[in-house]
């Protein structure tokens, strides 16, 4: 092999460049705190780090979903709390209206307050999340879900938007308004009692379901004739009958009905399964009752029966809202649990990443010192070689 002066110089330059590259890599590692600067440094470790990076990014996306759901559910819970409080005021007004000392004027004032509360409840049902998305619209949350000055209609759907908050858990960030403010049962939630154009003073005092297994959801008529009562079903078959005394409880098909006052000849009450009536219609019913005449004892008895059913419906609506609110609270608790779970897994992921990419500063500092020494030696060697020729080696 032929050895030349230029070859010796090139060899020295190559050694210096190699040392400079190694030194630069170590300096970059110390500056970034990362051992791996490219996949070539550790192909297997780099592949594992990529997977861990993806997992870490996914936990970040889960946290965004949690924050979104927590914000919307928190707003929903506030609306539900306000709605329960509103219905409590509605009930207070209903009790006041049921007081026989109210005048036509005071009943009108209370009816106007009920109308105002109804509009306020409608605004609650159309609450948004501050970003133009309505809380109770289901998946159709781009427009206000409820509308109507008379009968209120629902423009949303029945869907719940499910947000992925962990690898195996989803949480609904809202409830469809139809399930919150509509599809409620009137009466006591199982059956209703209504009076016709009765002329007696008998009014409904209580209506209870005592045995659900006996109630068939049918339609029944309770009539009073000659001091006796008679209950007939929709086929006009007598179900039960007997002598009636004031305050007596009449039982049939698992129901107990109690009245106060004295029924007139031919007075009747209709009993049937509870139907659906939204909260807005329930308040409208109270407004209607407030406008009923109460000049005679018979009229007051009719108001008493109607008011008893409306009070039961309002109580059921309040319980329903409380149940929905409890379900929202459970979902908020689930979000807290998901956040804690993701946080723990994120810490584990970051720890695993640090083991793969993390730099041992003591080792790197020692290596840097060695590389500086080696580079200095190579530079000194090059300086000497550069000032010599092949003839110097031959002498």
């Amino acid at each position: 092999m032929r050895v030349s002066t230029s070859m010796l110089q090139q060899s020295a330059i190559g050694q210096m460049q190699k040392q400079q590259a190694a030194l630069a890599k170590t300096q970059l590692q110390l500056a970034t705190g990362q051992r791996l600067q490219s996949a070539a440094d550790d192909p297997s470790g780099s592949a594992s780090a990529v997977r861990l990076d993806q997992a870490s990014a996914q936990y970040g996306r889960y946290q965004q979903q949690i924050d979104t759901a927590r914000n919307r559910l928190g707003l929903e819970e506030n609306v539900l709390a306000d709605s329960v409080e509103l219905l409590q005021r509605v009930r207070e007004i209903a009790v006041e209206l049921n007081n026989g000392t109210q005048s036509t004027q005071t009943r009108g004032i209370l009816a106007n307050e009920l109308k105002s509360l109804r509009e306020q409840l409608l605004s609650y049902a159309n609450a948004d999340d501050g970003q133009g998305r309505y809380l109770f619209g289901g998946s159709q949350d781009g427009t206000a879900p409820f509308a109507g000055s008379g009968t209120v209609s629902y423009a949303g759907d029945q869907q719940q938007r499910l947000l992925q908050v962990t690898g195996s858990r989803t949480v609904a960030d809202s409830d469809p308004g139809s399930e919150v403010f509509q599809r409620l049962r009137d009466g006591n939630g199982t059956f209703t009692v209504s009076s016709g154009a009765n002329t007696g003073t008998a009014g409904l005092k209580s209506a209870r379901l005592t045995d659900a297994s006996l109630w068939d959801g049918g339609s029944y008529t309770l009539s009073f004739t000659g001091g006796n009562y008679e209950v007939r079903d929709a086929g006009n078959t007598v179900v039960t009958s007997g002598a009636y005394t004031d305050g007596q409880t009449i039982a049939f098909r698992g129901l107990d009905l109690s009245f106060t006052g004295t029924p007139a000849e031919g007075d009747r009450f209709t009993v049937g399964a509870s139907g659906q009536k939204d909260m807005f219609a329930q308040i409208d019913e109270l407004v209607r009752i407030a406008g009923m005449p109460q000049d005679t004892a018979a009229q007051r008895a009719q108001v008493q029966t109607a008011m008893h059913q409306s009070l039961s419906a309002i109580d059921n609506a309040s319980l329903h809202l409380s149940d929905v609110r409890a379900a929202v609270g459970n979902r908020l608790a689930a979000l807290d649990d998901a956040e804690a779970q993701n946080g723990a897994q994120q810490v584990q992921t970051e720890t695993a990443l640090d083991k793969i990419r993390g730099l041992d500063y003591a080792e790197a500092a020692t290596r840097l010192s060695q590389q500086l020494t080696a580079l200095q030696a190579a530079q000194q060697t090059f300086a000497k070689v550069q000032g010599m020729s092949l003839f110097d080696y031959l002498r």
Side-chain angles (χ1 to χ4, degrees), residues 5 8 384-395:
T5 299
L8 293 174
K384 291 181 179 180
V385 170
Q386 190 178 30
M388 297 175 64
S389 69
L390 182 60
F391 293 104
D392 293 315
Y393 284 101
L394 296 177
R395 284 200 297 263

Side-chain angles (χ1 to χ4, degrees), residues 297-365:
Q299 289 172 340
R300 288 191 290 273
Q302 292 178 16
V303 169
Q304 177 182 329
T305 299
M307 188 62 73
H308 180 279
Q309 294 296 279
S310 285
L311 280 170
S312 296
I314 293 298
D315 288 341
N316 287 334
S318 295
L319 288 173
H320 172 69
L321 287 180
S322 296
D323 289 342
V324 176
R325 186 182 178 190
V328 170
N330 289 336
R331 276 179 268 165
L332 286 169
L335 291 177
D336 291 339
D337 181 65
E339 186 173 49
Q341 179 182 339
N342 288 335
Q345 292 177 336
Q346 180 80 341
V347 169
Q348 292 178 349
T349 300
E350 294 296 336
T351 300
L353 271 172
D354 187 62
K355 288 181 179 179
I356 296 173
R357 287 180 175 158
L359 182 66
D360 184 340
Y361 280 92
E363 183 276 331

Side-chain angles (χ1 to χ4, degrees), residues 147-160:
S149 56
T151 301
V152 173
S153 61
Y154 178 64
D157 60 23
Q158 318 309 317
Q159 302 299 315
Q160 286 182 302

Side-chain angles (χ1 to χ4, degrees), residues 261-284:
T262 304
E265 190 76 8
D267 280 359
R268 62 178 54 199
F269 294 85
T270 302
V271 180
S274 293
Q276 288 187 351
K277 182 180 288 186
D278 63 46
M279 291 183 191
F280 313 104
Q282 289 176 352
I283 298 177
D284 289 339

Side-chain angles (χ1 to χ4, degrees), residues 26-37 354 357-361:
T26 301
Q27 288 174 328
L28 184 59
Q29 288 176 334
L30 286 167
T32 61
Q34 298 292 313
R35 180 178 67 87
L36 300 182
Q37 297 300 320
D354 187 62
R357 287 180 175 158
L359 182 66
D360 184 340
Y361 280 92

Side-chain angles (χ1 to χ4, degrees), residues 158-212:
Q158 318 309 317
Q159 302 299 315
Q160 286 182 302
R161 186 172 63 173
L162 300 177
L163 300 182
Q164 193 85 25
V165 294
T166 71
S168 59
R169 178 184 291 178
T170 59
V171 172
D173 70 346
S174 62
D175 293 282
S178 57
E179 300 299 325
V180 178
F181 298 99
Q182 295 183 318
R183 298 185 180 178
L184 304 175
R185 311 293 290 181
D186 58 358
N188 62 11
T190 302
F191 63 94
T192 62
V193 181
S194 60
S195 60
N198 294 343
T199 58
T201 61
L204 184 65
K205 178 182 179 182
S206 67
R208 298 185 303 117
L209 176 68
T210 58
D211 190 342

Side-chain angles (χ1 to χ4, degrees), residues 94-117:
V95 172
E96 292 182 51
L97 287 170
N98 205 30
N99 189 331
T101 63
Q102 296 289 345
S103 66
T104 301
Q105 181 181 7
T106 56
R107 287 198 298 271
I109 293 173
L110 292 173
N112 286 334
E113 185 177 352
L114 285 173
K115 292 176 183 177
S116 176
L117 290 172

